[in-house]
Amino acid sequence: MSDSKVRIDREGPLAILTVAAPPVNLFDRAMFDALLAALDELDADPPRALLLRAVGKVWTGGVDVHEFDGLTPQTGAQLWTDLFELIHRVEDLPYPTIFAAHGLCLTWGLELALGCDLLLAAESAKFGLVEIVVGLTPSMGGPQRLAERAGPARAREVIFTGELFTAATFEAWNVVNRVYPDAEFASEAEAFALRLANGPTKAHHATKQIIRMQIAGGARAADDITPQVSGELFATEDLKGAVQSFLTQGPGKATYEGR
């Protein structure tokens, strides 16, 4: 991509989306447009996994508050409607999405992270939904997605207090999946994401569909779609090849092409 706020790099089957808007990667309309353009690029040439990261001392310091100045209830509601397009498109990507958080990860950054499948954090990372400083509640899906992971009471605590929370605390609350030492964080996050990118991509998509249905409608609703979603995997080259690999070489020897 040519836009300086967001770039996409490739490492084999892995796409790496990097936010680069110094000094603190604030969110504004230009950032929103750049992220949507990045998703268009990924749709045109899909990877097998996506790693989202940012450059600088912090992942993001939050939103450029100028974006809120002068909004009315009607224009504010339209803003959030527009922003949900970004979150929903990330959630609907048919391959694993991994968010790598370092430094401060506030407001929109954390809400975007919660729209990803997995959240990795550097040891010193801190997280916050601090919208109360402008009399607002997080409105890019943060409350509901945080409640999915940590439970409603913890979500209320994070948002009502506007406090910052450590990577260790968020890991204990099931918000963060894994915490890595700061010095190795970038390499560990990329290696982890690359491992998923080299996996059975269509099976990963099936897993995402089943879990999303469980969140929306419960276990029985997920049961209802599993036969078709999982059954279709028997037509994939990855499953056929992995079965033969297992039968001839034993477990753990199969490689995958995402087909």
Side-chain angles (χ1 to χ4, degrees):
M1 293 185 60
S2 60
D3 194 293
S4 61
K5 288 182 180 287
V6 176
R7 69 172 187 265
I8 292 178
D9 301 294
R10 302 274 178 158
E11 181 64 37
L14 176 67
I16 302 171
L17 186 157
T18 303
V19 171
V24 291
N25 300 322
L26 291 182
F27 187 86
D28 57 15
R29 177 60 68 166
M31 176 69 77
F32 173 66
D33 292 340
L35 288 166
L36 289 184
L39 291 173
D40 289 341
E41 182 175 330
L42 293 170
D43 287 346
D45 184 15
R48 292 169 55 197
L50 174 65
L51 176 66
L52 295 91
R53 66 185 185 187
V55 298
K57 292 184 178 181
V58 303
W59 210 103
T60 178
V63 176
D64 184 344
V65 178
H66 290 95
E67 295 291 326
F68 301 146
D69 190 27
L71 291 181
T72 67
Q74 291 74 30
T75 57
Q78 185 58 54
L79 172 64
W80 303 128
T81 299
D82 293 344
L83 295 182
F84 271 122
E85 179 186 355
L86 172 63
I87 301 300
H88 293 168
R89 285 186 65 181
V90 169
E91 284 184 327
D92 291 342
L93 290 172
Y95 42 78
T97 54
I98 305 99
F99 191 99
H102 73 280
L104 281 177
C105 185
L106 303 180
T107 66
W108 78 275
L110 179 51
E111 292 187 283
L112 180 60
L114 294 170
C116 292
D117 296 316
L118 300 173
L119 174 49
L120 311 179
E123 211 165 31
S124 64
K126 291 187 177 180
F127 301 87
L129 293 173
V130 297
E131 284 82 352
I132 59 168
V133 300
V134 292
L136 187 64
T137 187
S139 301
M140 286 177 63
Q144 51 270 47
R145 286 162 180 79
L146 186 58
E148 280 180 4
R149 299 187 186 215
R154 289 300 190 189
R156 294 187 193 104
E157 178 183 353
V158 171
I159 297 164
F160 288 172
T161 65
E163 293 174 358
L164 300 183
F165 295 83
T166 66
T169 297
F170 263 22
E171 183 182 34
W173 291 356
N174 295 321
V175 180
V176 165
N177 293 92
R178 299 191 180 193
V179 178
Y180 295 109
D182 291 350
E184 292 88 38
F185 178 63
S187 59
E188 291 284 0
E190 186 169 335
F192 180 88
L194 189 57
R195 187 175 115 200
L196 299 190
N198 279 308
T201 312
K202 291 185 181 296
H204 289 333
H205 185 210
T207 298
K208 291 180 63 158
Q209 291 174 283
I210 292 167
I211 292 174
R212 178 55 54 194
M213 182 58 72
Q214 186 278 327
I215 292 170
R220 289 297 182 94
D223 292 347
D224 288 343
I225 71 163
T226 297
Q228 179 177 351
V229 168
S230 186
E232 290 173 354
L233 297 176
F234 287 97
T236 65
E237 294 178 25
D238 279 346
L239 186 147
K240 293 175 183 177
V243 167
Q244 291 305 309
S245 175
F246 187 99
L247 294 175
T248 59
Q249 303 178 66
K253 303 296 194 300
T255 59
Y256 302 102
E257 300 296 330
R259 297 193 293 269

